[in-house]
Amino acid sequence: MQKENQKVSVLFMLFGTLFCVCLITANVLETKQISIGPVNVTAGLIVFPVSYIINDVVCEVWGYRRTRMLIWMGFAMNFLFVLFGALADAIPGAPWWGGDEAFHSIFGLAPRIALASFIAFLTGSFVNAYVMSKMKVSSGGRNFSARAILSTVSGELTDSVIFFPLALGGVIPWEQMPSLVISQVTLKTLYEIVVLPVTIRVVAFTKAHDHEDVFDRDISYNIFNILKL
């Protein structure tokens, strides 16, 4: 069913809040390196894939236009977090406070890494939403599981291919870059597959609760057409 509904539901607001929290939390967790078996990754892996799952749910239920607004809202909130964190980091600490180094390690995000993160997030998120939207129309709404996985692979691959060369090119050997990208995409996709049964139930509940199941026919995919819901 296709609706021209300009109202925003409570569930959409909750998904939007969770989306922003996941992005901001991922920024903080990215400062810690962890090992999963033989693979070294950042702790942001714990929460960042959730943003792609929310992207899939919102696009499946409310369509690309609502997802576009969600992505830009997440970008804006993440930008504010990084901006305020950088400002607090730049202000000298009190003479009796000894936490400057620890605070800087979390909030002193290098401009190069911040820029790479913002570009990669926007590009990967919009690729994810575009693939999900187009596949839903072409499949007639069938095969949600396949669409969720394929859109995530497309988005995460785009995100990683952009982020790692921009943020770490010249810092780590270029010959290690492909394996780093592949390991990140593989782990994040496995994450989505593991929680897919939960995602399917969340989508079914949301569609039933809000009576929404939007198919993106004859819409503009212009990512800057933000206010068009």
Side-chain angles (χ1 to χ4, degrees):
M1 66 188 77
Q2 182 77 44
K3 290 186 177 183
E4 291 298 328
N5 183 6
Q6 296 297 312
K7 294 182 179 179
V8 175
S9 74
V10 172
L11 284 179
F12 181 81
M13 290 172 57
L14 291 175
F15 281 122
T17 302
L18 181 59
F19 186 75
C20 294
V21 169
C22 287
L23 294 177
I24 292 171
T25 303
N27 259 353
V28 177
L29 298 186
E30 290 288 348
T31 59
K32 181 176 181 179
Q33 301 290 316
I34 61 175
S35 296
I36 300 178
V39 181
N40 295 321
V41 295
T42 64
L45 180 67
I46 298 172
V47 66
F48 187 73
V50 177
S51 67
Y52 277 81
I53 295 170
I54 296 172
N55 189 317
D56 287 342
V57 172
V58 172
C59 195
E60 174 69 15
V61 177
W62 292 286
Y64 177 86
R65 289 181 291 188
R66 291 284 176 90
T67 310
R68 174 173 55 203
M69 185 181 73
L70 183 77
I71 292 169
W72 280 112
M73 181 174 66
F75 174 84
M77 297 304 102
N78 204 16
F79 179 80
L80 283 176
F81 172 79
V82 171
L83 181 65
F84 289 138
L87 179 61
D89 185 51
I91 298 173
W96 43 264
W97 189 64
D100 266 329
E101 185 175 347
F103 190 90
H104 179 75
S105 69
I106 296 174
F107 294 99
L109 196 62
R112 177 184 178 184
I113 293 177
L115 179 62
S117 177
F118 289 140
I119 295 174
F121 162 71
L122 281 177
T123 309
S125 295
F126 277 116
V127 166
N128 182 88
Y130 178 82
V131 172
M132 189 71 177
S133 172
K134 285 292 191 180
M135 288 186 69
K136 181 176 181 179
V137 173
S138 64
S139 67
R142 297 182 296 274
N143 304 318
F144 171 76
S145 297
R147 291 186 282 112
I149 293 170
L150 288 174
S151 63
T152 295
V153 170
S154 302
E156 294 284 10
L157 182 60
T158 302
D159 184 293
S160 296
V161 165
I162 292 174
F163 176 76
F164 288 108
L166 285 180
L168 301 175
V171 177
I172 64 172
W174 285 103
E175 59 269 19
Q176 292 184 18
M177 199 71 71
S179 62
L180 183 61
V181 169
I182 291 170
S183 64
Q184 288 280 327
V185 174
T186 300
L187 287 173
K188 290 175 180 178
T189 303
L190 288 174
Y191 190 130
E192 167 129 2
I193 292 172
V194 169
V195 301
L196 190 57
V198 177
T199 306
I200 292 171
R201 285 167 174 77
V202 170
V203 167
F205 171 81
T206 306
K207 285 181 177 180
H209 183 276
D210 274 21
H211 307 291
E212 292 272 14
D213 189 6
V214 173
F215 285 77
D216 294 316
R217 297 186 177 98
D218 301 320
I219 70 164
S220 169
Y221 284 95
N222 183 350
I223 67 172
F224 298 107
N225 198 4
I226 303 172
L227 298 180
K228 179 65 175 176
L229 299 180

